[in-house]
């Protein structure tokens, strides 16, 4: 299971955010978000940190090293 893809998609949807809006916030393309959520690609460490900070979660949570009560 690709924890990052699953958790990014879930965080985005829980925050009622489109891929376009998240891409604009992160200053990247929507296709990058789509590729991450489909597990076709992964962000670099700087972007992973930016995503974690934006959603108020840890990088460990995003990559599946920290459990989530809802998973």
């Amino acid at each position: 299971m690709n924890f990052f893809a699953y958790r990014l998609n879930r965080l985005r949807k829980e925050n009622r955010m489109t891929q376009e809006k998240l891409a604009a916030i992160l200053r990247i393309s929507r296709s990058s978000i789509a590729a991450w959520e489909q597990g076709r690609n992964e962000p670099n460490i700087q972007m992973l940190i930016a995503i974690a900070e934006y959603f108020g979660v840890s990088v460990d949570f995003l990559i599946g090293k920290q459990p989530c009560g809802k998973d």
Side-chain angles (χ1 to χ4, degrees):
M1 169 183 247
N2 184 327
F3 283 101
F4 175 73
Y6 171 75
R7 290 188 172 170
L8 177 63
N9 181 272
R10 198 173 100 206
L11 284 167
R12 183 178 58 76
K13 288 180 178 178
E14 284 176 356
N15 285 275
R16 295 185 160 108
M17 183 176 294
T18 64
Q19 289 181 344
E20 290 83 2
K21 182 170 181 170
L22 182 57
I25 289 166
L26 297 173
R27 297 185 179 142
I28 59 171
S29 69
R30 187 211 56 84
S31 62
S32 292
I33 302 290
W36 296 343
E37 289 186 0
Q38 293 168 8
R40 291 186 289 121
N41 204 346
E42 294 180 349
N44 64 32
I45 190 67
Q46 292 85 4
M47 188 58 65
L48 197 59
I49 292 167
I51 294 164
E53 288 176 351
Y54 178 78
F55 285 112
V57 298
S58 69
V59 170
D60 282 350
F61 171 79
L62 285 175
I63 63 173
K65 296 295 182 187
Q66 178 181 335
C68 174
K70 299 177 189 173
D71 282 354

